[in-house]
Each structure stands twice: as C-alpha cells, then as structure tokens.
Amino acid sequence: MNKIEHIGIAVKDIEASNTLFAKLFHKEHYKMEEVESEGVKTSFFQLGESKIELLEATRDDSPIAKFIAKKGEGVHHIAFDVTDIHAEVKRLKEEGFTVLNETPKKGADNKLVVFLHPKSTNGTLIELCQEII
Ligand code: ZN
C-alpha cells in the first residue's frame, strides 16, 4: 500500500457538513459525487496529499445509514492507495483478511475500490483504492 488516500467520515447532512468542514479546513470541497450503487452522496476536500471524504446516505438501506444508526456520525473508513488492486486483494486474502467485494467496484473520485471487513482489521473498515487511468 502506498499511502493513506483519504479518510471517510459518515455525516447526516452533507450540505451542513460541507460548511462545517470548509470552516475547519479554511478551504472549500472540490467535488461532490453520488455513488448510486452504494446509496451515498460524497464530498471531497483536498489537504496536501490527503483527502477527506464526507458520506451521506441517500436511502435507508445504504451502508452509511446503517453505520450512523448503529454508531452515530464519525470516522467510517480509512482508504489506502494501491498500485495493483487485484494483486493486493489476492495477497490480503492469502494473509487471512476478509475481503467484502473480491471484484473491485467503481467508487467515487474515479477509483476502483475494495473493502476489507472490519472484523478482520481490528474494527476499522479499510478501503483499497486504485486510480482508474
Ligand atoms: Zn472512501
């Protein structure tokens, strides 16, 4: 894995959170994007090499809606940049990690993404992402 690509934060109201985080960072978000398949609306802030992704559920069965119902708003996942997502999935499976989707799917911000189950990573949802070129 190359670096932390972004940290995902689950929020209830992405417009209100855009305002809040813009004040915090003293910088506006640079894009918003809806990922229909995941039932989320996302917003991205760039801070140097790192990004913060805000996630709001767009429907009740969205993983973000379930997360907020269970744990409230807050850090939802940490995403790591990888060079070859297929090779990483294979390696991590062999190491015993639980991969939630073995076939990488199209995520926000022009990325192929795979998630690792938090049960196999000390309670933290891990996202692997590879830029689609
Ligand atoms: Zn993410």
Side-chain angles (χ1 to χ4, degrees), residues 6-8 44 53 55 77-79 113 115 127:
H6 63 269
I7 295 175
F44 286 88
E53 174 185 33
L55 304 120
H77 65 272
I78 301 177
V113 301
F115 287 93
E127 174 185 337

Side-chain angles (χ1 to χ4, degrees), residues 1-3 80-93 99 101-105 111-114 116 127-133:
M1 296 188 197
N2 303 322
K3 62 170 185 177
F80 295 93
D81 177 68
V82 298
T83 309
D84 182 344
I85 200 163
H86 297 279
E88 278 296 286
V89 165
K90 184 173 181 289
R91 181 181 75 79
L92 293 167
K93 272 184 68 185
V99 177
N101 57 301
E102 283 190 37
T103 306
K105 54 189 177 184
K111 299 278 195 293
L112 280 176
V113 301
V114 166
L116 304 182
E127 174 185 337
L128 309 178
C129 56
Q130 180 185 346
E131 181 110 42
I132 301 168
I133 300 165

Side-chain angles (χ1 to χ4, degrees), residues 54-104:
L54 304 180
L55 304 120
E56 179 196 76
T58 55
R59 47 175 199 262
D60 289 344
D61 66 347
S62 155
I64 295 301
K66 289 178 192 161
F67 178 87
I68 288 178
K70 218 169 142 186
K71 298 188 172 176
E73 294 179 295
V75 173
H76 176 259
H77 65 272
I78 301 177
F80 295 93
D81 177 68
V82 298
T83 309
D84 182 344
I85 200 163
H86 297 279
E88 278 296 286
V89 165
K90 184 173 181 289
R91 181 181 75 79
L92 293 167
K93 272 184 68 185
E94 284 166 6
E95 294 283 9
F97 292 95
T98 306
V99 177
L100 285 172
N101 57 301
E102 283 190 37
T103 306

